[in-house]
Amino acid sequence: MELVEKELLTTIQNPMLPLTFQVRSRRQETKDTFTLEIEPVESGVEFKFLPGQFNMVYVFGVGEVPISISSDPNRWNRIAHTIRMVGVVTKAMGKLKKGDLLGIRGPFGSSWPIDRCSECDIVIVAGGIGLAPLRPAIYHILSNREKYNRVVLLYGARTPDDILYKNEIEKWRSRFDFEVYVTVDRGTTGWKGNVGVVTTLIPRAPFNPENTVAFVCGPEIMMRFTSLELLKRGVKEHNIFLSMERNMKCGIGLCGHCQFGPAFICKDGPVFSYSQIKDLIFKREI
Amino acid sequence: MEFETLEKLLREHPFFRDLKEEYLSLIVGCARNVFYKPGEFIFREGEQANEFYIIRDGKISLEVSAPGKKPIVIQTLESGEVLGWSWITPPYYWHFDARAIEPTKAIALDGRCLRNKCEEDHSLGYELLKRFITIVEQRLQATRIQLLDLYGAG
Amino acid sequence: MEKVKFYYLAPEELNKIFDYFKARGYKIAGPTVRDNAIVYDEIKSVNDLPLGWTDEQSPGSYRLKRRDDKALFGYVVGPHSWKKFLFPPILTLWEAKRENGKFKICESGYDGEKFVFVGVRACEISAILIQDKIFGGGQYAEPNYLKRRENVFIIAVNCNDPGNNCFCLSTGTGPKVLTGYDLVLTEVISEGKHYLIVEPGTEVGAEVLMSLDFREATPDEIEEAKKISGEAINKFKKEVDLDGVVEMLQSNYENPLWEKISEKCLTCANCTMVCPTCFCNTVEDVTDLTGQSAKRIRKWDSCFTLEFSYIHGGSLRYSTMSRYRQWMIHKLSTWKNQFGMLGCVGCGRCITWCPVGIDIVENVKLFRSDVLKFKT
């Protein structure tokens, strides 16, 4: 599979105008999280994206929020967003049904460097809803499996009920060429899997740190601890990638909201290497 | 013959990685092979802590029970990890229940035997303590992260 | 372009230029006195300019005063900047309507207005060029801005008397107008004479002057104008060494000085509103009561508000210190990484219009002496 060149990604003439998409399906993932599969209403629209990019998603008359794309980058025009209901807009999204309309601006931002190396180990570390922006990278890696050496997913959720994409994870786990480890912060009755925070999986995960590229996504504290743990194992700073979150309003570097030191998270990020941001990520209120 | 096998198993376990041969042969004298069936308790809260366990294979959960509730799992431990440090600190009581949740092979090390050897040879004692403090540090960090409830609703 | 010609204009002859553009559908925007300040607004003729007024500025203070002449441009800068025309404070970006269960989104934003800007200072031209870079020079362009910008004719003016808070000499953005203008004026008042020397900067500018039959300036008049505007660089009261400031600030995020210099800050956002380069904005999505139509309105925003850095869970920059630090480091440091130049043009507005008189120039000096102190 060939990924599109980033320059060709701008599907819209005016990046400030949303395109209309409609909901194809809605799936409840956990108590507060759901996945919408959407497609463009207008024919002739070709929506391509890279793993790790996001859209600005608009609910008519309610508002617009940045949401990462969680579908297969190989399937254009069939876009999925996994959304947690936390604010006014995401709660309104939670009420959408098949056939309802959404405004989409995007795709925006940088992507996971999936072609950074050949024959290297890939370690994907996800915390909570941080698995959503990593899923397109997983799809890409699995459909180009021969290009990589070991592929490992370390996924931490709050409780067993908060685990996203349960059926899919089971499928991934059954593959012989994909090492999947899931852990929860708090076990519940009947949970037979790991209990402990996701960082505890790192020391014992099977990968060769010398030749590993790591993709990390989750709450910022989790990403900091994970980076330190990966460094402790010997993964190189420039091979650790994190997906940052800030207040993104315009998505195109024109509104100033998502500044992180010299970077605009929306267009220079959200994916950064650890070496790019290590001087800022441990400072407060940047 | 059995000693040889145990020595090999200990040498291959991450906890004893790069340990001096002389220490290894001292420690092996305190070691024995153990096996637990799923559901079997390895130790219980309040019991004397006279051993610790090098997990070779399987999975163990550390649990605490409270009245009127199902037991709460604090942490799970797997192959390559170590169970138990209460044998080092007086008065040597376990603080949690440890239960095998999968068929588990481990090597049990006799705490009293090791404590005596460490008293006699402080270099051995320091070597072992360094290895345990790393584990204690990891568990403390993990506990702190757990307390932050990172994926909570905020 | 042929050799640049200089023309002589009597002050009221500016009206000829205004009329030329009015006949071609332009609005004339220029300085005028309102509410005890010199603001930028639509003007009809030379008589609307602040004839015989000047402004006296100091940190946290702005006062209009009478001059003892009839100067048209005898002040420096007021609370407004030209960004309000190119990047309007409130703008509807698009409107959407529900039709047969679908919704249709229509672009709005630019209504075709064309402007002549009159009396644009060197620092303000720099500010416009900076915003050109922000809204038109990157991966994504802002179409509303670009359309407005294409339809502007700039009549600049050289600063003869920098104000108390002016420091464009230090930022390298003034006082003489060097680029980015269609016409540039130098106002000469001496020994009973009062005239303007006009020089074109573009083909369009040259054509306008040619078609209006102004008389060419004499070598003496040109010389006199050059002498007067040339003296401006000796009149600065505020100067600061900005060499190395980009690196200095970015390596001092955690310097305790930030607490000290932001101590008085009220986070009122005045500095960002008056700043000619500040571009931060937000959008509001609104809907009518029936829920049938909706629109997105863009508004100026400020990094001094708590909402500015809000992410799910709370505001990232919860302290006043961090918000002041964000603003100052952005202006004088990270702006350079983002756009290749500093975000400050030395106009002094943020110093004048700060209600508690926080002075960015003094703060740079404090940092400099603090950092030097630790180096030695």
Side-chain angles (χ1 to χ4, degrees):
Chain A
M1 173 193 147
E2 289 295 308
L3 281 161
V4 280
E5 291 290 317
K6 193 165 177 198
E7 294 73 57
L8 301 177
L9 282 174
T10 312
T11 48
I12 38 183
Q13 290 298 309
N14 180 345
M16 301 199 301
L17 287 186
L19 282 176
T20 315
F21 277 58
Q22 67 182 349
V23 177
R24 283 181 56 92
S25 68
R26 180 195 190 281
R27 170 204 287 271
Q28 193 72 31
E29 300 283 355
T30 70
K31 206 172 148 200
D32 60 2
T33 305
F34 59 95
T35 298
L36 293 180
E37 198 179 54
I38 58 173
E39 64 185 357
V41 170
E42 305 293 329
S43 56
V45 175
E46 251 187 8
F47 190 96
K48 307 166 193 173
F49 70 96
L50 293 170
Q53 290 194 298
F54 68 95
N55 279 331
M56 296 300 300
V57 185
Y58 168 71
V59 183
F60 189 85
V62 181
E64 189 183 59
V65 288
I67 312 264
S68 62
I69 305 172
S70 58
S71 48
D72 188 340
N74 214 3
R75 294 177 74 197
W76 300 347
N77 289 10
R78 193 69 68 81
I79 305 303
H81 286 294
T82 297
I83 300 157
R84 187 169 173 199
M85 289 179 274
V86 286
V88 180
V89 182
T90 48
K91 280 176 187 154
M93 284 172 186
K95 293 186 186 126
L96 295 176
K97 307 176 297 292
K98 186 175 179 349
D100 284 347
L101 301 178
L102 280 169
I104 296 289
R105 296 191 299 122
F108 298 131
S110 62
S111 56
W112 300 110
I114 38 190
D115 296 323
R116 185 174 170 81
C117 65
S118 56
E119 301 288 306
C120 63
D121 292 354
I122 300 277
V123 177
I124 295 165
V125 191
I129 197 160
L131 182 58
L134 285 163
R135 195 168 66 158
I138 295 174
Y139 288 137
H140 175 85
I141 289 163
L142 292 182
S143 54
N144 295 269
R145 186 61 188 84
E146 70 287 352
K147 285 190 189 165
Y148 306 92
N149 197 9
R150 272 172 295 195
V151 181
V152 183
L153 170 64
L154 310 176
Y155 174 39
R158 190 177 189 225
T159 71
D161 293 336
D162 294 306
I163 296 171
L164 296 178
Y165 315 136
K166 284 197 186 78
N167 296 337
E168 213 163 8
I169 287 175
E170 280 317 307
K171 261 188 247 164
W172 291 340
R173 206 200 287 272
S174 67
R175 289 177 67 131
F176 292 109
D177 58 357
F178 191 16
E179 301 263 3
V180 177
Y181 299 86
V182 179
T183 185
V184 295
D185 282 9
R186 275 160 241 277
T188 47
T189 319
W191 170 247
K192 296 275 191 297
N194 292 310
V195 177
V197 291
V198 70
T199 48
T200 60
L201 299 175
I202 294 169
R204 61 185 196 228
F207 60 88
N208 169 19
E210 286 290 299
N211 192 28
T212 286
V213 174
F215 302 154
V216 186
C217 188
E220 199 166 303
I221 302 177
M222 169 265 174
M223 293 197 288
R224 296 204 307 253
F225 280 109
T226 299
S227 302
L228 293 177
E229 206 60 52
L230 289 167
L231 290 171
K232 207 194 267 180
R233 267 221 45 192
V235 182
K236 297 184 182 89
E237 282 185 356
H238 60 265
N239 281 336
I240 300 173
F241 294 86
L242 319 174
S243 181
M244 297 292 293
E245 187 195 0
R246 285 293 183 269
N247 183 1
M248 297 189 275
K249 280 270 180 192
C250 74
I252 52 180
L254 299 182
C255 81
H257 280 254
C258 67
Q259 283 178 82
F260 182 58
F264 292 101
I265 299 282
C266 70
K267 77 178 171 72
D268 304 319
V271 178
F272 294 94
S273 73
Y274 178 79
S275 39
Q276 272 177 297
I277 55 172
K278 64 173 179 180
D279 289 339
L280 288 176
I281 197 171
F282 296 102
K283 296 195 169 81
R284 296 174 185 182
E285 296 187 81
I286 304 287
Chain B
M1 184 64 202
E2 200 204 337
F3 263 40
E4 251 180 51
T5 323
L6 268 176
E7 200 165 328
K8 186 166 173 286
L9 290 175
L10 287 179
R11 192 183 292 120
E12 283 166 2
H13 195 278
F15 182 74
F16 287 120
R17 185 178 295 142
D18 300 329
L19 189 72
K20 281 189 195 162
E21 282 300 317
E22 46 173 308
Y23 292 151
L24 209 59
S25 42
L26 273 175
I27 288 167
V28 79
C30 307
R32 67 186 175 98
N33 257 312
V34 287
F35 178 78
Y36 300 96
K37 294 191 288 289
E40 197 177 340
F41 281 102
I42 298 157
F43 54 72
R44 307 295 302 263
E45 179 186 341
E47 285 177 356
Q48 275 281 310
N50 286 326
E51 287 185 319
F52 75 94
Y53 305 86
I54 301 291
I55 306 168
R56 293 170 51 206
D57 201 13
K59 187 183 271 185
I60 290 165
S61 69
L62 269 183
E63 302 172 0
V64 65
S65 60
K69 280 186 187 166
K70 300 254 170 70
I72 299 158
V73 178
I74 308 290
Q75 191 184 17
T76 53
L77 297 169
E78 286 185 26
S79 153
E81 295 185 295
V82 170
L83 168 68
W85 62 66
S86 296
W87 67 276
I88 316 175
T89 50
Y92 318 117
Y93 287 113
W94 293 121
H95 294 85
F96 295 103
D97 296 339
R99 201 163 58 89
I101 47 179
E102 285 172 12
T104 299
K105 285 189 236 170
I107 297 169
L109 289 134
D110 186 322
R112 267 176 298 204
C113 164
L114 270 183
R115 287 198 298 260
N116 289 336
K117 290 190 177 178
C118 292
E119 285 303 337
E120 284 164 22
D121 181 347
H122 284 188
S123 299
L124 167 68
Y126 181 58
E127 189 59 45
L128 268 185
L129 273 182
K130 271 200 291 187
R131 286 164 196 258
F132 267 99
I133 203 76
T134 307
I135 290 172
V136 174
E137 186 255 4
Q138 279 168 1
R139 306 253 164 105
L140 179 61
Q141 293 300 353
T143 307
R144 285 174 172 169
I145 302 172
Q146 222 163 2
L147 280 175
L148 289 169
D149 194 16
L150 293 177
Y151 316 125
Chain C
M1 207 156 97
E2 287 173 50
K3 189 174 169 292
V4 174
K5 285 180 181 160
F6 293 81
Y7 295 88
Y8 170 99
L9 266 73
E12 60 279 8
E13 280 187 296
L14 267 181
N15 282 333
K16 286 192 190 175
I17 301 179
F18 297 171
D19 292 341
Y20 173 97
F21 280 100
K22 280 195 233 167
R24 284 161 180 79
Y26 281 78
K27 289 178 178 170
I28 313 298
T32 192
V33 174
R34 197 174 70 208
D35 302 332
N36 296 316
I38 293 169
V39 298
Y40 296 150
D41 205 347
E42 201 183 334
I43 57 168
K44 301 218 159 21
S45 73
V46 171
N47 288 335
D48 290 338
L49 294 174
L51 300 181
W53 286 103
T54 190
D55 47 10
E56 216 171 61
Q57 307 192 23
S58 63
S61 166
Y62 177 95
R63 295 286 180 276
L64 284 191
K65 272 184 73 179
R66 275 285 174 198
R67 291 172 62 99
D68 49 19
D69 58 28
K70 289 278 177 211
L72 307 181
F73 302 105
Y75 57 91
V76 279
V77 289
H80 284 180
S81 68
W82 303 99
K83 79 175 178 185
K84 72 172 206 167
F85 297 102
L86 296 168
F87 168 52
I90 297 177
L91 181 72
T92 301
L93 292 177
W94 48 257
E95 292 181 65
K97 279 197 167 52
R98 268 186 213 277
E99 282 172 8
N100 322 316
K102 307 260 171 210
F103 60 81
K104 224 182 120 186
I105 295 173
C106 298
E107 191 173 352
S108 47
Y110 179 57
D111 55 9
E113 277 183 321
K114 296 190 280 189
F115 279 105
V116 175
F117 291 170
V118 182
V120 185
R121 309 285 167 156
C123 60
E124 300 186 300
I125 289 182
S126 290
I128 292 171
L129 296 178
I130 287 171
Q131 289 212 328
D132 286 353
K133 187 84 193 276
I134 295 166
F135 291 125
Q139 189 188 351
Y140 298 100
E142 206 289 66
N144 288 298
Y145 179 90
L146 295 181
K147 280 179 217 155
R148 285 182 159 71
R149 181 71 174 91
E150 276 167 26
N151 290 297
V152 165
F153 184 89
I154 292 181
I155 303 178
V157 63
N158 283 317
C159 268
N160 297 342
D161 282 298
N164 290 339
N165 288 341
C166 291
F167 58 102
C168 62
L169 195 61
S170 306
T171 51
T173 51
K176 195 166 166 51
V177 177
L178 298 173
T179 181
Y181 58 91
D182 292 293
L183 299 177
V184 59
L185 312 174
T186 307
E187 186 169 27
V188 178
I189 301 177
S190 83
E191 297 160 14
K193 289 174 290 182
H194 184 189
Y195 61 91
L196 302 161
I197 296 297
V198 195
E199 178 191 346
T202 57
E203 295 277 359
V204 188
E207 277 165 32
V208 173
L209 293 181
M210 208 113 73
S211 70
L212 291 175
D213 289 330
F214 295 123
R215 111 164 137 73
E216 274 191 49
T218 66
D220 281 354
E221 286 161 351
I222 296 170
E223 203 44 50
E224 189 162 29
K226 277 191 177 155
K227 190 169 156 267
I228 285 178
S229 65
E231 277 164 5
I233 59 165
N234 303 318
K235 298 182 186 169
F236 278 87
K237 296 170 199 83
K238 221 173 185 65
E239 283 186 72
V240 59
D241 179 7
L242 292 174
D243 192 37
V245 75
V246 171
E247 298 73 23
M248 179 183 73
L249 291 180
Q250 278 188 62
S251 52
N252 275 280
Y253 266 102
E254 292 183 320
N255 193 313
L257 253 186
W258 289 113
E259 287 290 354
K260 194 179 156 199
I261 66 179
S262 62
E263 210 170 43
K264 289 191 289 177
C265 177
L266 308 171
T267 66
C268 72
N270 263 15
C271 50
T272 53
M273 297 294 109
V274 296
C275 176
T277 68
C278 270
F279 63 93
C280 286
N281 59 85
T282 188
V283 291
E284 278 176 21
D285 285 303
V286 293
T287 178
D288 67 356
L289 285 174
T290 64
Q292 290 308 299
S293 67
K295 56 183 170 181
R296 175 163 300 164
I297 299 168
R298 186 180 70 190
K299 295 179 170 175
W300 286 0
D301 201 358
S302 170
C303 53
F304 280 93
T305 71
L306 269 177
E307 294 75 22
F308 188 83
S309 63
Y310 185 86
I311 56 171
H312 157 61
S315 284
L316 253 131
R317 297 187 199 102
Y318 45 83
S319 69
T320 297
M321 180 284 287
S322 72
R323 281 174 268 157
Y324 186 82
R325 178 180 69 181
Q326 165 62 26
W327 179 74
M328 185 163 148
I329 294 189
H330 191 209
K331 284 284 137 191
L332 295 177
S333 182
T334 50
W335 201 292
K336 175 99 180 178
N337 304 72
Q338 294 168 354
F339 306 110
M341 76 282 268
L342 296 189
C344 176
V345 294
C347 71
R349 285 181 178 90
C350 59
I351 305 170
T352 302
W353 297 94
C354 175
V356 292
I358 298 175
D359 186 333
I360 192 169
V361 167
E362 290 308 312
N363 289 344
V364 170
K365 288 179 184 167
L366 276 175
F367 258 101
R368 249 189 209 297
S369 57
D370 185 79
V371 171
L372 284 178
K373 185 174 77 197
F374 284 106
K375 264 191 185 155
T376 49

